[in-house]
Amino acid sequence: MEFLTLSPVSLPQRLVELRARVREFLAEETAAGRIAPHCDQWLAGWDPGFSRRLAAQGWIGMAFPKEYGGSEEGALARYVVTEELLAAGAPVAAHWIADRQSGQALIKFGTEEQRQAFLPAIARGDCYFAIGMSEPDTGSDLASVRCRGVRVEGGWRISGTKIWTSGAHHAHAMIALIRTEAQGESRHAGLTQVIVELPDPDVEVRPIKLLTGEHHFNEVVFHDTFVPDSRVLGEPGSGWKQVTSELGLERSGPERILSTFPLLVSALEYVAGAGYRVDPVALGELVSRLWALRQMSLAVAGRLEQGEDPATAASIVKDLGTRFEGDLVDAVRAMAGVEPDLESAQKLPRMLAESILHSPGFTLRGGTNEILRGIVAKAVRTS
Ligand SMILES: Cc1cc2nc3c(=O)[nH]c(=O)nc-3n(C[C@H](O)[C@H](O)[C@H](O)COP(=O)(O)OP(=O)(O)OC[C@H]3O[C@@H](n4cnc5c(N)ncnc54)[C@H](O)[C@@H]3O)c2cc1C
């Protein structure tokens, strides 16, 4: 079962040095008070200033070609940088989606004009994207999207509603999956991806609050919104193939194991400082699980670096990883003996509260664990 193989990856010296530079940069940012660690910052830590400073280091668009403002350093170099950012709990949400998947979609399927229009701005940390896949009655069964595009002169008029759209209230563009032909025999035919530039007077963005009260995602309503032909991504009707390739990138990164890592660090600092006795077995179990997951996640990045599509292996790592993220919260909660408090000036109670309130989303976002297991089961059955 080749598709399940996760061969160990050892990082070359240039990436060990890159990691040291990223750590130094993050230590300076922290010492200057420009950033502070929080959990789940790849989702909720929106800070354009930080994104631009990161871009100035060459750490956004690392997998983009140089002609589009990228550094062409590849998937493993990007892995090292993103891993350090997540471990530090740095505010990376603004550029995260554009850097991880929208930029790659433009490279793979976009026109030259689209690449020039968006990729250099993404790599500068100036241009942010949202993902327009889910709809009120369409999440897991993505092929059933009901947002419709009707052909008009020079483009398409789109109508319908997207939901859970992370960052749509700040983003400069959204890649939306819409139905442009009536559903025929194949449910996957007749779907198209379009780039909707934001804000747009015919796009209504309604906030949905997280349990913490933060405005993170949205309901987005298209009111007969005009999308010119120049903003169709790829060929009309090829949306399904494109969106599944994008999902592979969405599911395969270290953010699926490290969303609550700053909580673990904070708990370890707390127990060390307070001389608090923790159950060494519980702690050892968390750290060893994380270590194994990290090797698996790195191996997925190694396969991306080789130009492979590790979708099945990534599904396994995301399932195991997101469960670990939640288990970590439960374990720290039981172990540390502090009250979770979002307003606390102390790190541990604050991070515990953030993690508890964000944790319901861990196993849902990017495809639920049940769906991921279905993908793995199908791959095994057909192998
Ligand atoms: C924090 C967060 C951020 C998000 N950001 C975005 C975003 O930016 N853009 C975007 O498009 N979407 C986003 N989503 C939406 C996310 O992708 C969906 O929530 C997810 O795909 C599940 O879809 P659903 O909510 O419609 O649940 P449903 O599909 O209705 O599923 C409900 C339950 O039924 C189970 N289920 C469904 N079908 C099957 C099946 N065939 N076999 C077994 N079990 C099944 C599911 O596992 C789940 O437990 C976000 C979600 C969260 C939580």
Side-chain angles (χ1 to χ4, degrees):
M1 292 188 201
E2 181 57 31
F3 57 89
L4 290 179
T5 306
L6 284 170
S7 309
V9 168
S10 65
L11 295 172
Q13 185 58 25
R14 77 177 169 90
L15 298 188
V16 174
E17 286 161 17
L18 171 65
R19 184 185 299 284
R21 289 203 301 282
V22 180
R23 282 191 183 171
E24 202 180 315
F25 167 80
L26 289 169
E28 280 167 18
E29 288 281 309
T30 308
R34 289 191 287 268
I35 62 169
H38 288 269
C39 286
D40 215 17
Q41 288 293 277
W42 67 270
L43 186 99
W46 197 281
D47 182 344
F50 181 74
S51 292
R52 288 187 195 114
R53 293 196 294 282
L54 201 62
Q57 302 291 323
W59 295 336
I60 299 183
M62 297 183 80
F64 296 1
K66 286 192 176 146
E67 60 189 298
Y68 303 118
S71 65
E72 271 180 41
E73 290 200 67
L76 277 179
R78 182 174 180 274
Y79 188 95
V80 166
V81 171
T82 51
E83 187 175 49
E84 288 302 319
L85 292 166
L86 294 161
V92 290
H95 66 270
W96 196 261
I97 289 169
D99 180 54
R100 175 182 70 187
Q101 65 193 81
S102 319
Q104 292 300 330
L106 289 162
I107 291 167
K108 229 168 159 179
F109 307 113
T111 62
E112 186 55 24
E113 186 275 327
Q114 289 169 350
R115 292 178 192 157
Q116 295 291 355
F118 296 108
L119 293 173
I122 294 173
R124 285 197 307 272
D126 276 340
C127 177
Y128 316 130
F129 270 67
I131 303 169
M133 296 188 197
S134 307
E135 296 182 5
D137 295 310
T138 297
S140 305
D141 184 16
L142 194 54
S144 66
V145 290
R146 288 188 298 188
C147 275
R148 281 193 58 78
V150 175
R151 195 82 181 98
V152 293
E153 196 181 336
W156 300 80
R157 288 258 167 217
I158 63 173
S159 52
T161 303
K162 294 288 173 186
I163 200 164
W164 316 123
T165 323
S166 300
H169 51 308
H170 296 303
H172 302 98
M174 173 207 285
I175 299 183
L177 182 70
I178 58 168
R179 181 156 284 288
T180 47
E181 285 167 42
Q183 197 174 299
E185 269 181 26
S186 163
R187 303 175 68 242
H188 298 155
L191 296 169
T192 299
Q193 282 190 307
V194 290
I195 305 165
V196 182
E197 295 192 58
L198 298 170
D200 181 307
D202 295 326
V203 179
E204 191 182 345
V205 179
R206 300 174 179 156
I208 305 176
K209 299 277 174 75
L210 292 176
L211 290 174
T212 52
E214 294 159 275
H215 175 189
H216 159 70
F217 41 28
N218 303 276
E219 185 178 42
V220 178
V221 187
F222 301 122
H223 294 288
D224 237 4
T225 311
F226 180 68
V227 176
D229 284 327
S230 63
R231 289 294 170 261
V232 171
L233 181 64
E235 290 300 313
S238 304
W240 184 255
K241 185 187 74 185
Q242 294 176 197
V243 92
T244 46
S245 130
E246 201 181 316
L247 279 170
L249 294 168
E250 184 171 345
R251 290 171 176 163
S252 58
E255 67 269 43
R256 304 303 178 176
I257 62 176
L258 292 176
S259 304
T260 51
F261 183 80
L263 176 68
L264 179 62
V265 175
S266 175
L268 291 172
E269 285 169 359
Y270 174 78
V271 294
Y276 193 85
R277 282 179 59 78
V278 289
D279 175 358
V281 176
L283 202 56
E285 188 191 308
L286 285 177
V287 174
S288 56
R289 261 176 84 187
L290 177 59
W291 186 249
L293 282 166
R294 196 271 178 158
Q295 298 308 314
M296 293 168 78
S297 171
L298 186 59
V300 169
R303 290 187 54 182
L304 280 173
E305 179 93 338
Q306 301 302 320
E308 295 173 27
D309 175 9
T312 311
S315 298
I316 296 174
V317 180
K318 181 174 180 294
D319 177 5
L320 295 171
T322 53
R323 277 193 281 151
F324 168 77
E325 292 179 327
D327 290 350
L328 170 57
V329 181
D330 294 341
V332 170
R333 188 181 197 174
M335 192 187 292
V338 298
E339 274 297 309
D341 179 1
L342 272 182
E343 306 301 326
S344 176
Q346 290 177 311
K347 267 200 284 186
L348 185 59
R350 194 193 72 229
M351 282 197 202
L352 194 51
E354 287 168 359
S355 304
I356 291 168
L357 295 173
H358 280 229
S359 59
F362 295 166
T363 57
L364 300 175
R365 56 195 187 191
T368 69
N369 286 23
E370 291 75 19
I371 293 304
L372 298 173
R373 286 173 213 165
I375 291 171
V376 177
K378 270 187 210 150
V380 171
R381 205 173 51 213
T382 55
S383 70

Short mmCIF file of all heavy atoms in Angstrom, two decimals, residues 319-362:
data_model
loop_
_atom_site.label_atom_id
_atom_site.label_comp_id
_atom_site.label_asym_id
_atom_site.label_seq_id
_atom_site.Cartn_x
_atom_site.Cartn_y
_atom_site.Cartn_z
N ASP A 319 -6.63 13.14 10.73
CA ASP A 319 -7.55 12.50 11.67
C ASP A 319 -6.86 12.30 13.04
O ASP A 319 -7.35 12.74 14.08
CB ASP A 319 -8.00 11.15 11.07
CG ASP A 319 -8.91 10.34 12.00
OD1 ASP A 319 -9.29 10.85 13.06
OD2 ASP A 319 -9.24 9.19 11.65
N LEU A 320 -5.66 11.69 13.01
CA LEU A 320 -4.95 11.45 14.28
C LEU A 320 -4.52 12.76 14.93
O LEU A 320 -4.60 12.92 16.15
CB LEU A 320 -3.70 10.60 14.01
CG LEU A 320 -3.93 9.17 13.50
CD1 LEU A 320 -2.60 8.54 13.09
CD2 LEU A 320 -4.60 8.33 14.57
N GLY A 321 -4.08 13.70 14.09
CA GLY A 321 -3.53 14.96 14.60
C GLY A 321 -4.58 15.83 15.26
O GLY A 321 -4.37 16.40 16.33
N THR A 322 -5.75 15.95 14.63
CA THR A 322 -6.78 16.83 15.20
C THR A 322 -7.36 16.21 16.48
O THR A 322 -7.77 16.94 17.38
CB THR A 322 -7.90 17.12 14.19
OG1 THR A 322 -8.41 15.88 13.69
CG2 THR A 322 -7.40 17.96 13.03
N ARG A 323 -7.36 14.88 16.55
CA ARG A 323 -7.81 14.26 17.80
C ARG A 323 -6.80 14.53 18.91
O ARG A 323 -7.15 14.79 20.05
CB ARG A 323 -8.02 12.76 17.61
CG ARG A 323 -9.40 12.49 17.01
CD ARG A 323 -9.74 11.04 17.09
NE ARG A 323 -9.09 10.28 16.04
CZ ARG A 323 -8.76 9.00 16.15
NH1 ARG A 323 -9.00 8.35 17.27
NH2 ARG A 323 -8.19 8.37 15.14
N PHE A 324 -5.53 14.50 18.54
CA PHE A 324 -4.49 14.81 19.52
C PHE A 324 -4.64 16.25 20.04
O PHE A 324 -4.52 16.50 21.24
CB PHE A 324 -3.09 14.63 18.90
CG PHE A 324 -2.00 15.20 19.75
CD1 PHE A 324 -1.55 14.52 20.87
CD2 PHE A 324 -1.46 16.45 19.46
CE1 PHE A 324 -0.57 15.07 21.69
CE2 PHE A 324 -0.48 17.01 20.27
CZ PHE A 324 -0.04 16.31 21.39
N GLU A 325 -4.91 17.18 19.12
CA GLU A 325 -5.05 18.59 19.54
C GLU A 325 -6.10 18.74 20.64
O GLU A 325 -5.91 19.48 21.61
CB GLU A 325 -5.45 19.46 18.34
CG GLU A 325 -4.36 19.60 17.29
CD GLU A 325 -4.78 20.45 16.10
OE1 GLU A 325 -5.97 20.43 15.72
OE2 GLU A 325 -3.90 21.13 15.53
N GLY A 326 -7.21 18.02 20.47
CA GLY A 326 -8.28 18.07 21.47
C GLY A 326 -7.90 17.33 22.74
O GLY A 326 -8.15 17.81 23.86
N ASP A 327 -7.28 16.16 22.60
CA ASP A 327 -6.88 15.37 23.79
C ASP A 327 -5.89 16.15 24.66
O ASP A 327 -5.89 16.04 25.88
CB ASP A 327 -6.25 14.04 23.36
CG ASP A 327 -7.28 13.09 22.76
OD1 ASP A 327 -8.48 13.39 22.85
OD2 ASP A 327 -6.88 12.06 22.17
N LEU A 328 -5.03 16.91 23.99
CA LEU A 328 -4.05 17.73 24.71
C LEU A 328 -4.78 18.72 25.63
O LEU A 328 -4.41 18.91 26.80
CB LEU A 328 -3.16 18.46 23.69
CG LEU A 328 -2.22 19.56 24.17
CD1 LEU A 328 -1.27 19.05 25.22
CD2 LEU A 328 -1.43 20.12 23.00
N VAL A 329 -5.82 19.35 25.10
CA VAL A 329 -6.58 20.32 25.90
C VAL A 329 -7.19 19.62 27.12
O VAL A 329 -7.08 20.11 28.25
CB VAL A 329 -7.70 20.97 25.04
CG1 VAL A 329 -8.48 21.98 25.86
CG2 VAL A 329 -7.12 21.62 23.79
N ASP A 330 -7.80 18.46 26.89
CA ASP A 330 -8.43 17.73 28.01
C ASP A 330 -7.39 17.34 29.06
O ASP A 330 -7.63 17.45 30.26
CB ASP A 330 -9.12 16.44 27.50
CG ASP A 330 -10.30 16.77 26.60
OD1 ASP A 330 -10.79 17.91 26.67
OD2 ASP A 330 -10.71 15.89 25.82
N ALA A 331 -6.23 16.89 28.58
CA ALA A 331 -5.19 16.44 29.51
C ALA A 331 -4.66 17.60 30.34
O ALA A 331 -4.52 17.49 31.57
CB ALA A 331 -4.05 15.76 28.74
N VAL A 332 -4.39 18.74 29.69
CA VAL A 332 -3.86 19.90 30.44
C VAL A 332 -4.91 20.39 31.42
O VAL A 332 -4.61 20.74 32.57
CB VAL A 332 -3.41 21.02 29.46
CG1 VAL A 332 -3.09 22.30 30.22
CG2 VAL A 332 -2.20 20.57 28.65
N ARG A 333 -6.14 20.40 31.00
CA ARG A 333 -7.23 20.84 31.87
C ARG A 333 -7.29 19.99 33.14
O ARG A 333 -7.42 20.51 34.26
CB ARG A 333 -8.54 20.71 31.09
CG ARG A 333 -9.72 21.30 31.77
CD ARG A 333 -10.94 21.08 30.89
NE ARG A 333 -12.01 21.94 31.28
CZ ARG A 333 -13.15 22.03 30.61
NH1 ARG A 333 -13.33 21.33 29.51
NH2 ARG A 333 -14.10 22.83 31.03
N ALA A 334 -7.13 18.68 32.96
CA ALA A 334 -7.21 17.78 34.12
C ALA A 334 -5.96 17.88 34.99
O ALA A 334 -6.02 17.73 36.21
CB ALA A 334 -7.37 16.34 33.62
N MET A 335 -4.84 18.18 34.35
CA MET A 335 -3.54 18.09 35.01
C MET A 335 -3.17 19.38 35.75
O MET A 335 -2.63 19.35 36.84
CB MET A 335 -2.54 17.86 33.87
CG MET A 335 -1.17 17.47 34.21
SD MET A 335 -0.20 17.47 32.66
CE MET A 335 -0.85 16.16 31.72
N ALA A 336 -3.46 20.53 35.12
CA ALA A 336 -2.85 21.77 35.61
C ALA A 336 -3.58 22.37 36.81
O ALA A 336 -2.99 23.14 37.57
CB ALA A 336 -2.79 22.79 34.48
N GLY A 337 -4.85 22.07 36.97
CA GLY A 337 -5.57 22.58 38.13
C GLY A 337 -5.75 24.09 38.12
O GLY A 337 -5.69 24.71 39.18
N VAL A 338 -5.90 24.72 36.94
CA VAL A 338 -6.21 26.16 36.91
C VAL A 338 -7.56 26.35 36.22
O VAL A 338 -7.97 25.52 35.40
CB VAL A 338 -5.13 26.99 36.15
CG1 VAL A 338 -3.79 26.90 36.82
CG2 VAL A 338 -5.05 26.58 34.69
N GLU A 339 -8.22 27.45 36.56
CA GLU A 339 -9.51 27.78 35.93
C GLU A 339 -9.26 28.41 34.56
O GLU A 339 -8.51 29.38 34.46
CB GLU A 339 -10.25 28.82 36.78
CG GLU A 339 -11.08 28.25 37.89
CD GLU A 339 -12.22 27.36 37.38
OE1 GLU A 339 -12.98 27.80 36.50
OE2 GLU A 339 -12.33 26.22 37.85
N PRO A 340 -9.88 27.90 33.50
CA PRO A 340 -9.74 28.57 32.21
C PRO A 340 -10.34 29.98 32.29
O PRO A 340 -11.39 30.16 32.89
CB PRO A 340 -10.58 27.71 31.26
CG PRO A 340 -11.05 26.54 32.04
CD PRO A 340 -10.78 26.75 33.48
N ASP A 341 -9.63 30.96 31.73
CA ASP A 341 -10.12 32.34 31.79
C ASP A 341 -9.59 33.13 30.60
O ASP A 341 -8.40 33.43 30.52
CB ASP A 341 -9.64 32.97 33.12
CG ASP A 341 -10.08 34.41 33.26
OD1 ASP A 341 -10.77 34.93 32.35
OD2 ASP A 341 -9.73 35.03 34.28
N LEU A 342 -10.50 33.49 29.70
CA LEU A 342 -10.10 34.22 28.49
C LEU A 342 -9.44 35.56 28.79
O LEU A 342 -8.62 36.05 28.02
CB LEU A 342 -11.34 34.51 27.63
CG LEU A 342 -11.81 33.49 26.62
CD1 LEU A 342 -13.01 34.04 25.87
CD2 LEU A 342 -10.70 33.10 25.64
N GLU A 343 -9.84 36.18 29.93
CA GLU A 343 -9.36 37.53 30.25
C GLU A 343 -8.10 37.50 31.11
O GLU A 343 -7.57 38.54 31.46
CB GLU A 343 -10.43 38.32 31.01
CG GLU A 343 -11.81 38.38 30.33
CD GLU A 343 -11.72 39.02 28.97
OE1 GLU A 343 -10.90 39.93 28.79
OE2 GLU A 343 -12.46 38.58 28.06
N SER A 344 -7.62 36.31 31.48
CA SER A 344 -6.51 36.25 32.42
C SER A 344 -5.23 36.87 31.85
O SER A 344 -4.93 36.73 30.66
CB SER A 344 -6.23 34.79 32.79
OG SER A 344 -5.10 34.71 33.62
N ALA A 345 -4.48 37.55 32.73
CA ALA A 345 -3.19 38.10 32.32
C ALA A 345 -2.14 36.98 32.27
O ALA A 345 -1.07 37.14 31.70
CB ALA A 345 -2.76 39.19 33.28
N GLN A 346 -2.46 35.85 32.91
CA GLN A 346 -1.51 34.72 32.89
C GLN A 346 -1.76 33.85 31.65
O GLN A 346 -2.91 33.67 31.24
CB GLN A 346 -1.70 33.88 34.14
CG GLN A 346 -1.21 34.61 35.38
CD GLN A 346 -1.48 33.76 36.61
OE1 GLN A 346 -2.59 33.26 36.80
NE2 GLN A 346 -0.46 33.58 37.42
N LYS A 347 -0.64 33.30 31.16
CA LYS A 347 -0.75 32.56 29.89
C LYS A 347 -1.62 31.31 30.00
O LYS A 347 -2.47 31.06 29.16
CB LYS A 347 0.66 32.14 29.42
CG LYS A 347 1.31 33.13 28.49
CD LYS A 347 2.42 32.51 27.68
CE LYS A 347 3.68 32.31 28.45
NZ LYS A 347 4.83 31.84 27.69
N LEU A 348 -1.37 30.51 31.03
CA LEU A 348 -2.01 29.19 31.05
C LEU A 348 -3.53 29.25 31.13
O LEU A 348 -4.21 28.62 30.29
CB LEU A 348 -1.42 28.32 32.16
CG LEU A 348 -1.93 26.88 32.18
CD1 LEU A 348 -1.65 26.15 30.87
CD2 LEU A 348 -1.32 26.10 33.34
N PRO A 349 -4.12 30.01 32.08
CA PRO A 349 -5.59 30.05 32.11
C PRO A 349 -6.17 30.61 30.81
O PRO A 349 -7.21 30.17 30.33
CB PRO A 349 -5.89 30.99 33.29
CG PRO A 349 -4.64 31.11 34.07
CD PRO A 349 -3.50 30.80 33.16
N ARG A 350 -5.46 31.61 30.22
CA ARG A 350 -5.97 32.21 28.98
C ARG A 350 -5.93 31.20 27.83
O ARG A 350 -6.89 31.00 27.11
CB ARG A 350 -5.12 33.44 28.64
CG ARG A 350 -5.76 34.32 27.59
CD ARG A 350 -4.78 35.33 27.04
NE ARG A 350 -3.79 34.70 26.19
CZ ARG A 350 -2.48 34.88 26.30
NH1 ARG A 350 -1.98 35.66 27.21
NH2 ARG A 350 -1.66 34.24 25.47
N MET A 351 -4.78 30.52 27.69
CA MET A 351 -4.66 29.57 26.58
C MET A 351 -5.58 28.38 26.75
O MET A 351 -6.08 27.83 25.78
CB MET A 351 -3.23 29.07 26.48
CG MET A 351 -2.35 30.07 25.81
SD MET A 351 -0.87 29.22 25.32
CE MET A 351 0.23 30.58 25.19
N LEU A 352 -5.79 27.99 28.01
CA LEU A 352 -6.70 26.88 28.26
C LEU A 352 -8.11 27.25 27.79
O LEU A 352 -8.78 26.47 27.09
CB LEU A 352 -6.68 26.54 29.75
CG LEU A 352 -7.29 25.22 30.18
CD1 LEU A 352 -6.74 24.05 29.38
CD2 LEU A 352 -7.05 25.00 31.67
N ALA A 353 -8.54 28.48 28.14
CA ALA A 353 -9.87 28.93 27.72
C ALA A 353 -9.96 29.01 26.19
O ALA A 353 -10.92 28.54 25.58
CB ALA A 353 -10.19 30.29 28.35
N GLU A 354 -8.93 29.60 25.57
CA GLU A 354 -8.94 29.71 24.09
C GLU A 354 -9.06 28.33 23.45
O GLU A 354 -9.83 28.12 22.51
CB GLU A 354 -7.61 30.30 23.59
CG GLU A 354 -7.40 31.76 23.82
CD GLU A 354 -5.94 32.20 23.57
OE1 GLU A 354 -5.07 31.37 23.22
OE2 GLU A 354 -5.68 33.38 23.74
N SER A 355 -8.27 27.40 23.98
CA SER A 355 -8.23 26.06 23.37
C SER A 355 -9.54 25.32 23.56
O SER A 355 -10.02 24.66 22.64
CB SER A 355 -7.12 25.21 24.00
OG SER A 355 -5.91 25.86 23.87
N ILE A 356 -10.12 25.44 24.76
CA ILE A 356 -11.39 24.75 25.02
C ILE A 356 -12.46 25.28 24.06
O ILE A 356 -13.21 24.52 23.44
CB ILE A 356 -11.84 24.94 26.49
CG1 ILE A 356 -10.90 24.17 27.42
CG2 ILE A 356 -13.29 24.50 26.69
CD1 ILE A 356 -11.06 24.51 28.90
N LEU A 357 -12.48 26.60 23.89
CA LEU A 357 -13.55 27.21 23.08
C LEU A 357 -13.31 27.03 21.58
O LEU A 357 -14.26 27.06 20.80
CB LEU A 357 -13.71 28.69 23.45
CG LEU A 357 -14.18 28.91 24.89
CD1 LEU A 357 -14.15 30.39 25.27
CD2 LEU A 357 -15.59 28.36 25.09
N HIS A 358 -12.08 26.84 21.18
CA HIS A 358 -11.80 26.59 19.74
C HIS A 358 -11.91 25.10 19.39
O HIS A 358 -12.03 24.76 18.23
CB HIS A 358 -10.39 27.08 19.37
CG HIS A 358 -10.30 28.56 19.15
ND1 HIS A 358 -9.69 29.11 18.05
CD2 HIS A 358 -10.76 29.60 19.86
CE1 HIS A 358 -9.76 30.43 18.12
NE2 HIS A 358 -10.40 30.75 19.21
N SER A 359 -11.79 24.23 20.40
CA SER A 359 -11.61 22.81 20.09
C SER A 359 -12.77 22.14 19.33
O SER A 359 -12.51 21.20 18.57
CB SER A 359 -11.23 22.01 21.34
OG SER A 359 -12.23 22.13 22.30
N PRO A 360 -14.02 22.60 19.46
CA PRO A 360 -15.06 21.91 18.67
C PRO A 360 -14.78 21.92 17.16
O PRO A 360 -15.24 21.04 16.43
CB PRO A 360 -16.34 22.69 19.00
CG PRO A 360 -16.07 23.32 20.32
CD PRO A 360 -14.60 23.63 20.34
N GLY A 361 -14.02 22.90 16.69
CA GLY A 361 -13.76 23.00 15.24
C GLY A 361 -12.62 22.12 14.75
O GLY A 361 -12.49 21.88 13.55
N PHE A 362 -11.78 21.62 15.68
CA PHE A 362 -10.55 20.94 15.23
C PHE A 362 -10.82 19.79 14.26
O PHE A 362 -10.15 19.64 13.26
CB PHE A 362 -9.74 20.40 16.42
CG PHE A 362 -9.19 21.46 17.34
CD1 PHE A 362 -8.70 21.12 18.60
CD2 PHE A 362 -9.15 22.80 16.98
CE1 PHE A 362 -8.19 22.08 19.47
CE2 PHE A 362 -8.65 23.78 17.84
CZ PHE A 362 -8.17 23.40 19.08
#
